[in-house]
């Protein structure tokens, strides 16, 4: 069994590793930039080294959670209206307009 474990290759996407040191001040800058982008420091540095243009998200994590909550609420309302319509009921135009207005409000926050 020991020979089986020693023959096993690590399951990594990339085969080469690069290590380097930075000053505490540089690390704090890298860490802050990575945190702003919701990335790890190694992932951020790798993207920058590859020349990727990294754009900061327009909304923060808390705002994204709130938008997800609002979208879930809208989805529930839409499902109720669809069920009502599929059972032969009449869907009021005002209900559809309210949903459209809520979606437009969320879209405005994202752009």
């Amino acid at each position: 069994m020991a020979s089986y474990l020693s023959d096993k290759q690590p399951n990594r996407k990339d085969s080469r590793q690069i290590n380097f040191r930075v000053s505490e001040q540089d690390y704090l800058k890298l860490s802050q930039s990575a945190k702003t982008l919701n990335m790890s420091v190694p992932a951020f540095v790798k993207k920058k080294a590859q020349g990727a243009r990294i754009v900061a998200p327009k909304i923060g994590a808390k705002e994204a959670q709130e938008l997800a909550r609002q979208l879930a609420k809208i989805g529930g309302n839409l499902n109720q209206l669809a069920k009502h319509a599929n059972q032969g009921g009449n869907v009021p135009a005002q209900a559809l307009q309210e949903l459209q207005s809520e979606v437009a409000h969320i879209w405005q926050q994202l752009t």
Side-chain angles (χ1 to χ4, degrees):
M1 183 168 198
S3 64
Y4 168 75
L5 293 177
S6 64
D7 293 338
K8 187 175 178 183
Q9 296 294 322
N11 186 15
R12 294 193 174 101
K13 188 168 62 172
D14 298 320
S15 60
R16 305 292 288 184
Q17 181 176 356
I18 299 172
N19 296 314
F20 62 95
R21 295 190 176 276
V22 295
S23 69
E24 187 67 27
Q25 184 179 3
D26 288 343
Y27 182 80
L28 290 174
K29 287 180 188 177
L30 291 169
S31 179
Q32 184 60 40
S33 296
K35 184 178 179 182
T36 300
L37 298 167
N38 298 322
M39 299 175 77
S40 67
V41 174
F44 174 75
V45 172
K46 184 176 180 179
K47 289 286 185 189
K48 291 301 276 184
Q50 292 170 339
R53 183 172 177 259
I54 302 175
V55 179
K58 294 182 179 189
I59 58 173
K62 288 184 180 181
E63 291 85 4
Q65 287 179 335
E66 176 61 23
L67 289 176
R69 187 189 67 74
Q70 290 175 3
L71 286 171
K73 182 180 173 186
I74 291 170
N77 291 344
L78 186 58
N79 283 339
Q80 289 176 1
L81 291 175
K83 181 178 179 182
H84 184 70
N86 287 332
Q87 292 175 343
N90 185 22
V91 177
Q94 182 179 352
L96 294 175
Q97 288 173 345
E98 287 174 6
L99 281 177
Q100 188 176 16
S101 173
E102 290 177 27
V103 170
H105 177 72
I106 291 173
W107 183 253
Q108 193 174 33
Q109 291 176 338
L110 292 172
T111 56

